[in-house]
Amino acid sequence: MAFDIEMIRKVYANMPSRVDKAREIVGRPLTLSEKILYNHLWEGTPSQAFTRGKDYVDFAPDRVACQDATAQMALLQFMHAGKPQAAVPTTVHCDHLIQAKIDAKTDLARAKQQSNEVFDFLSSISNKYGIGFWKPGAGIIHQVVLENYAFPGGMMIGTDSHTVNAGGLGMVAIGVGGADAVDVMSGMAWELKFPKLIGVHLTGKLSGWTAPKDVILKVAGILTVKGGTGAIVEYFGEGATAMSCTGKGTICNMGAEIGATTSTFGYDDSMDRYLRSTNRADVADAANEIREYLTADAEVYANPEQYFDQVIEINLSELEPHLNGPFTPDLATPISKMKEEAIKNDWPLQIQVGLIGSCTNSSYEDIARSASLAKQVADKKLKTKAQFTITPGSQTVRYTIERDGFIDTFDKIGATVFANACGPCIGMWDREGAEKEERNTIVHSFNRNFSKRADGNPNTLAFVGSPELVTALAIAGDLSFNPLTDTLINEDGEEVRLDEPTGNELPPNGFDADDPGYQAPAADGSHVQVAVSPTSERLQLLAPFDPWDKKNITGAKLLIKAFGKCTTDHISMAGPWLRFRGHLDNISNNMLIGAINAFNQKANSVKSQLTGEYDAVPATQRAYKAEGIPSIVVGDHNYGEGSSREHAAMEPRFLGVKAVLVKSFARIHETNLKKQGMLALTFANETDYDLIQEDDTINFLDLTEFAPGKQLTLEFVHKDGSKDIIMANHTYNAGQIGWFVAGSALNLIAAAEV
């Protein structure tokens, strides 16, 4: 039986009447996304139609999922909320704090020793508040959710941007910051601007070397890293129904890289098969009873231009394998053009490492298809030219692929199997020699390839591809190799060609696991003690942020004018910094150290207006805080792209930054700033970014009149005494302004308990 089956049945019991009512109110057929959204309104039965991209709407998600790096801060905030236990089904997954270095057994043992304090904290606090706990080694949050919790037509939020992976099972699953999770865990409504809708019509059928990953790589090339912002991407068509459920998950997973709120697919037979293979026949049976409500109305898919804000057409029969990168996941190159592009851009052709797995591509099907290529190494008397690693997505996948002989196949080509954890995908990779910062090329089946993301080396060029393409390229060791057309020279000096990859969608003998790694919470956790040492370097209890003093912010200093791409990796790096994710003071020492200063084109080097000298960003800001001087951060387009980590908002808030003024925001980061009581503002005129100078002092002229839809006026006073008046837009509604006034959204929750 599935987890929380009664909750799922309740969702399905409500869905027909609520969707029928929504269709009546809206006055037209509904997309799947709209059906799920209207079925999860906080008010219950719909009473009004909402305008896409404009109306803020309160929702009631079915469940919450947290990974260990973000769960620390989320649960520290939840403790502050004063609730006896989580109001909706919630899980914590220990997958981020396991560094890949040697092999699964060794790395897992080291992580348990090094992060024992954090794991014990998460285990005990989960026990206290009725939260399911997945132990270190159980697997990556999104794969575990797909295997155990995701269900068609559901709505969930998760404190990781790749929560969207659950769209592969027909959910609306959305990545959020920890403060959003606390709202839902506290039994409150969760607010979201009603998304726009992008339809992707998939015709034809995947075959040969082309994989589901190539669909999202193609879409990323079309939409770019910000083209999906504020939208749900809904895939449909014969190509969608012909694809495996886990393949759909891969596509939805990497939708985070186009800024999409989430992505999803209508319920079909592949989802039914996957549910039954993962011991959830009860969910499949329940879904089949309301099957027509778990996909869009037929008229929508027949005439998509009438119902979506944008429609993209992709013929899978003509789709070519892609490699995206380096340094950005939307630089899409068909494999037939890679040699030309690599030579033109002087990308190193020799591939040092090929890495497969991660939350994006660690299904049984992915591993099976890659193993079919690995087997050809011996059969065709080849040698693998690059290092090769595998990161299984869960203990269930790992145990099953080992039982079915795939790990043995990989062992024979000298591959390393890492722990069931995020590892290199999030920078938790102790790669030998990375500290030398040599220019080199790697290929992986992960989702992100920002500078320094995998190994900390800014000169590592990372290219994203499907697991089968990555495997082929690792065998060849050459970025210019095209397995569709090119041959390799084997040990006998013969030209041989790799056969097309093959693999079963699901294990013929079913999934299995010796110990999935799940810890159920105590039936009554009221007596469970959660201890946090006051001298801990890893964990720190939170103090409330101060409320707004109702005055204009004046005398603020420019901390940094960030140049170009500034992701949450730039604002709050992961990798070795993950160990401080539960300690706000310590983690704040990485604030904006990856951002490029527009005035000197250097990272972590900004001018202090107290000394006139250049110093690290955190040190400069701490000096301002000590003197009681406010500051602001200025940024470019899509500021805060990438991970959902709310530390990127909490750190500047903690250190005294008052506002972030940018050309545009990534959705999650903008919300995180609002939740923490900060001002998230955008230039009314983007060219005003160029007016801002290094020694500027900033005065807010009308913050005392802060109101929905009303621009704010900022005065930038330059060193020579001249001034520029800049108008700033914002998207705050009345409730969100309340967060700012109170000092944070959490302050309001805590106050409600008094």
Side-chain angles (χ1 to χ4, degrees), residues 565-609:
K565 186 185 283 284
C566 191
T567 71
T568 48
D569 276 37
H570 295 88
I571 304 168
S572 176
M573 288 185 176
W577 289 95
L578 284 174
R579 66 185 184 275
F580 297 127
R581 283 283 182 85
H583 197 293
L584 185 54
D585 194 11
N586 286 344
I587 191 69
S588 294
N589 288 322
N590 81 355
M591 185 191 72
L592 284 159
I593 64 175
I596 301 301
N597 181 357
F599 298 108
N600 61 10
Q601 294 299 305
K602 294 182 179 179
N604 203 25
S605 174
V606 294
K607 187 176 182 180
S608 167
Q609 294 191 45

Side-chain angles (χ1 to χ4, degrees), residues 20-194:
D20 289 346
K21 186 63 176 178
R23 191 186 293 110
E24 174 188 325
I25 292 171
V26 174
R28 57 167 174 77
L30 298 177
T31 65
L32 167 65
S33 304
E34 290 171 314
K35 289 181 179 182
I36 297 174
L37 293 171
Y38 278 106
N39 187 40
H40 286 85
L41 296 177
W42 180 254
E43 65 178 330
T45 301
S47 61
Q48 67 178 101
F50 297 103
T51 303
R52 300 175 191 169
K54 180 180 178 181
D55 292 336
Y56 281 98
V57 182
D58 286 340
F59 292 100
D62 301 313
R63 63 178 314 109
V64 176
C66 309
Q67 40 93 335
D68 50 352
T70 53
Q72 296 170 65
M73 197 59 68
L75 293 178
L76 285 166
Q77 291 178 88
F78 184 68
M79 290 174 68
H80 185 52
K83 302 293 183 180
Q85 72 175 73
V88 302
T90 302
T91 52
V92 167
H93 305 258
C94 295
D95 61 359
H96 273 55
L97 298 177
I98 303 168
Q99 186 180 49
K101 182 177 182 178
I102 299 173
D103 58 39
K105 183 178 180 180
T106 307
D107 296 345
L108 181 58
R110 185 175 68 254
K112 287 180 177 178
Q113 181 181 22
Q114 293 177 342
S115 296
N116 181 61
E117 178 186 15
V118 173
F119 294 145
D120 283 350
F121 166 74
L122 294 174
S123 173
S124 63
I125 199 170
S126 296
N127 215 17
K128 181 175 182 64
Y129 292 114
I131 296 168
F133 180 71
W134 290 82
K135 304 172 188 176
I140 305 172
I141 175 173
H142 312 302
Q143 181 68 23
V144 173
V145 165
L146 196 70
E147 292 172 358
N148 295 276
Y149 299 111
F151 66 97
M155 172 184 272
M156 69 174 288
I157 61 170
T159 60
D160 189 286
S161 56
H162 292 104
T163 299
V164 295
N165 186 81
L169 256 175
M171 291 195 88
V172 163
I174 301 174
V176 299
D180 275 2
V182 171
D183 283 356
V184 178
M185 292 167 64
S186 299
M188 299 173 61
W190 175 65
E191 183 186 68
L192 177 72
K193 185 179 287 186
F194 205 85

